[in-house]
Amino acid sequence: MMKQNLIELIRNAEKADFGNTIDLHIHSCFSDGKLTPEELYTDAQKKGLKYIAIADHNTVEGYKKTDILTKENVIPAIEFDCWYKGVLIHILGYGIDVNNEKLLKYCAKTKKGTEADIIRLFNARSPKKVIEAIHNANGIAILAHPACYWCISLEHFVKSLVKEGLDGIEVYYPYKRHRGIIKFHFASTVEKIAKKLNLLATGGSDSHFEIQQFSCK
């Protein structure tokens, strides 16, 4: 999918689409998920999803080692660990060229760098450089699950990342399990920030097993 077409898809999507027919945040066995990309695609088809993105941690090997990109309506993606202002954040890249050399420079060199928390913690990247690499790979950069980041003003935090080139934020996210425990801001606040700053608003389940559909409140 061309970059402009992807942007239009996100802009035109309804709130109810995310978590129901569009899931742009799924993990496969190429990072810390359990299912193969092909199994996830089959699961998505059974559940009636129209678009999915497998966003493995710090790797695009799931795309390079399978034929998943030949499947209809699969958007290539990645989720990078980054440190920003003393906070560990995750930046999603969508619509990327998975063979782009500058992007691959920031990918994990071992499997543990995609799944082991301690290794991911100490190998976190600069968000500015990651965003530049995503753009160089013709993709868009999105801040994942923003309500989880500790900061006094989430709006100010997001604004500062926008100055680094951030294109959007993950507005529609279920905040279950540990993400619900470390949630510092309201999901409604995230939605208001996206609208105020005219950012792309994406959504996904962050599923690590079968795809978990959800309703956006």
Side-chain angles (χ1 to χ4, degrees), residues 22 45 77 91 115 128 130 139-140 146 161 173 179 188 206-207:
I22 300 174
Q45 292 296 100
I91 294 180
E115 59 184 2
K128 181 176 182 178
V130 161
I140 58 175
L161 281 166
Y173 183 91
R179 291 288 176 210
S188 58
D206 205 355
S207 295

Side-chain angles (χ1 to χ4, degrees), residues 51 69 82 94 97 142 160 162 172 180 210:
Y51 294 95
L69 282 180
C82 301
Y94 292 123
D97 173 6
I142 306 292
S160 62
V162 170
Y172 311 113
E210 291 184 356

Side-chain angles (χ1 to χ4, degrees), residues 144-159:
H145 37 69
C148 289
Y149 304 128
W150 167 243
C151 53
I152 295 174
S153 171
L154 182 60
E155 181 177 334
H156 178 76
F157 191 78
V158 172
K159 276 184 178 179

Side-chain angles (χ1 to χ4, degrees), residues 25-33 54-65 76-83 88-94 96-98 100-127 129-131 133-134 142 144-145 149 179 206 208:
H25 194 157
I26 305 169
H27 294 280
S28 81
C29 62
F30 282 88
S31 63
D32 55 352
I54 297 170
D56 283 322
H57 293 289
N58 311 313
T59 185
V60 291
E61 291 301 298
Y63 293 104
K64 297 181 72 175
K65 293 184 177 178
I78 190 168
E79 183 176 19
F80 282 114
D81 298 300
C82 301
W83 278 110
L88 181 66
I89 66 172
H90 292 169
I91 294 180
L92 295 153
Y94 292 123
I96 51 173
D97 173 6
V98 299
N100 181 273
E101 291 185 5
K102 290 189 176 180
L103 183 83
L104 295 177
K105 175 183 175 182
Y106 295 101
C107 289
K109 303 301 184 272
T110 67
K111 183 67 165 64
K112 287 191 177 297
T114 73
E115 59 184 2
D117 289 343
I118 192 67
I119 293 177
R120 289 171 49 201
L121 181 69
F122 285 103
N123 286 350
R125 302 138 182 87
S126 157
K129 292 181 179 179
V130 161
I131 291 170
I134 290 170
I142 306 292
H145 37 69
Y149 304 128
R179 291 288 176 210
D206 205 355
H208 286 68

